[in-house]
Amino acid sequence: MNILADRFGRAFPYLRLSITDACNFRCQYCLPKGYRKTDKMSFLSVDEISRLLRTFAGLGMTKVRLTGGEPTLRRDLCEIATHAAAIPSVKTIALTTNGYSLKKNAKAYFDAGINALNVSIDSSSPDKFFAITGHDKLRLVQEGIAAAEEAGFKKIKINSVLIKGFNDGELTDFLAYIKNSDTSIRFIELMRTGDNQEYFAAHHLSSEIIIAQLLELGFSAVPRQFDAGPAIEYQHRDYLGKIGIIAPYSKDFCKTCNRLRVTARGKLMLCLFGEGGFDLRPFLQSDDQIQELQDEILAALNFKVQSHHLQMGQTGTTQNLAALGG
Ligand code: SAM
Ligand code: SF4
């Protein structure tokens, strides 16, 4: 069987699929002016997504993350998840969400087959949450997490972008949260994109600073599984939860890359910060094209480069992560 692997020995069992560019939040580093529709082309349909997932599964994909934009804005999210869940070799169906609709819909998501959840919360202060997202909804999101736990989701992860001068003093609050909760909080270093150059210059903070604080407090790095992705986790025997660090500017970050991305309009992106992309949509129109689609994906993989060039300010064609699926 052909599998998704590149010429640098990396395998890609993990697909991050954006199902919409649209978002209802206005995160300062992502869509500070809110979502604006850029073209008339529609997002992939459920049929196109189903074909895409079956094709990737035939090439060894075992985990798919539904993301966006805000994936929960799609009314057919549960239908999409049901299609993914119907593929026996796909073991993990993950969702990354701003949490806005979890309180209402967590159970429906779980029942549809979604079995891993990441919720983005950049601050545990309601005022700061409002300032960063444009919505006074921290409480709603927290209630959504509780609803998700009740619905059956295990080990919910919290994504939190590290923002200098904004949430860099909140480590104690985050640690208090994981003391008795088996949650993993993922600190993501702010990434420079085409749209956020000034914001990045003012607010980028190296995760080294947080790592130093964690080590000082007695946390230690969890030994990596051989197939783990780029997050490095830290644990402490007095804390039930863990802290993960995602540091895209660190040396060797790309060595552990295990994922490919497809945009909401069907472009295969080999790297979050790559150029162009490979248009898969023409090959998603009928089940008879699955072999052709597999060949196209495998051929594209020959162009995956060893590392991004973010350090040199090369952000590729990514204007914001909402457009690509963060
Ligand atoms: N809307 C959903 C959400 O916010 O969880 C899913 C899409 S969002 C693009 C996925 C993740 O990317 C979020 O955790 C968000 O905070 C993060 N993100 C967005 N822009 C980023 C940037 N420039 N640097 C680092 N992380 C970013
Ligand atoms: Fe929307 Fe997520 Fe971007 Fe925030 S980070 S604006 S919630 S897509």
Side-chain angles (χ1 to χ4, degrees):
M1 180 177 106
N2 281 317
I3 62 147
L4 296 162
D6 72 359
R7 60 207 158 105
F8 305 106
R10 297 173 296 194
F12 304 98
Y14 178 13
L15 175 68
R16 292 174 85 111
L17 174 63
S18 173
I19 57 174
T20 178
D21 293 353
C23 189
N24 52 343
F25 275 21
R26 296 190 296 273
C27 298
Q28 292 293 311
Y29 47 78
C30 183
L31 293 175
K33 295 185 179 134
Y35 171 67
R36 292 183 182 177
K37 200 168 178 196
T38 46
D39 65 36
K40 291 200 184 77
M41 235 173 94
S42 59
F43 302 129
L44 293 180
S45 67
V46 175
D47 276 352
E48 288 172 316
I49 290 174
S50 167
R51 255 171 230 128
L52 182 85
L53 294 179
R54 281 181 279 135
T55 305
F56 268 88
L59 291 171
M61 182 265 287
T62 55
K63 171 174 177 178
V64 60
R65 176 174 302 283
L66 304 175
T67 180
E70 179 46 41
T72 62
L73 291 184
R74 265 189 80 151
R75 293 215 178 99
D76 51 9
L77 171 61
C78 288
E79 204 185 332
I80 292 169
T82 307
H83 277 272
I87 307 170
S89 58
V90 177
K91 303 295 179 208
T92 308
I93 302 161
L95 178 73
T96 300
T97 173
N98 61 25
Y100 191 90
S101 64
L102 279 180
K103 187 177 176 187
K104 194 163 145 222
N105 295 329
K107 182 155 181 355
Y109 301 154
F110 187 77
D111 291 347
I114 296 173
N115 55 14
L117 190 62
N118 283 46
V119 185
S120 301
I121 299 183
D122 294 333
S123 174
S124 48
S125 136
D127 291 346
K128 284 186 172 179
F129 185 91
F130 185 13
I132 199 81
T133 63
H135 285 264
D136 189 8
K137 297 288 179 201
L138 178 61
R139 181 101 187 260
L140 177 72
V141 174
Q142 287 169 332
E143 288 171 355
I145 292 176
E149 280 167 347
E150 206 163 299
F153 282 101
K154 304 264 181 281
K155 299 202 176 215
I156 297 168
K157 291 178 183 162
I158 309 285
N159 286 357
S160 195
V161 178
L162 274 176
I163 307 169
K164 185 160 79 184
F166 178 75
N167 64 3
D168 43 349
E170 288 192 50
L171 183 61
T172 317
D173 299 333
F174 283 114
L175 290 180
Y177 185 75
I178 62 158
K179 182 104 180 149
N180 300 308
S181 162
D182 188 10
T183 309
S184 176
I185 296 184
R186 302 298 183 89
F187 287 119
I188 310 172
E189 256 185 51
L190 180 64
M191 297 176 226
R192 187 200 322 233
T193 62
D195 283 350
N196 75 3
Q197 313 271 338
E198 275 180 34
Y199 192 89
F200 177 87
H203 295 287
H204 176 255
L205 179 74
S206 168
S207 54
E208 296 289 330
I209 292 166
I210 299 292
I211 294 172
Q213 290 175 23
L214 289 172
L215 296 177
E216 179 80 33
L217 290 166
F219 277 77
S220 58
V222 179
R224 295 177 70 85
Q225 304 275 344
F226 78 97
D227 57 348
I232 298 178
E233 290 214 295
Y234 290 80
Q235 64 186 1
H236 190 297
R237 60 171 182 213
D238 297 340
Y239 292 78
L240 205 54
K242 295 191 180 68
I243 298 285
I245 302 281
I246 300 178
Y249 294 90
S250 65
K251 192 175 149 286
D252 293 343
F253 180 75
C254 300
K255 266 193 183 163
T256 49
C257 182
N258 61 355
R259 65 218 39 208
L260 296 170
R261 292 182 156 82
V262 172
T263 69
R265 293 181 176 84
K267 269 197 176 179
L268 170 66
M269 303 298 291
L270 300 173
C271 172
L272 198 47
F273 301 100
E275 301 289 338
F278 298 81
D279 190 7
L280 302 181
R281 204 161 197 180
F283 306 96
L284 289 172
Q285 303 314 309
S286 118
D287 279 355
D288 298 339
Q289 293 176 291
I290 285 187
Q291 184 59 52
E292 217 181 332
L293 178 57
Q294 282 199 350
D295 294 344
E296 199 65 19
I297 296 166
L298 291 171
L301 261 184
N302 290 321
F303 294 92
K304 186 160 168 74
V305 294
Q306 196 163 16
S307 170
H308 64 60
H309 295 106
L310 265 185
Q311 293 87 344
M312 291 175 243
Q314 293 176 18
T315 53
T317 41
T318 306
Q319 288 310 312
N320 51 65
L321 294 204
L324 190 48

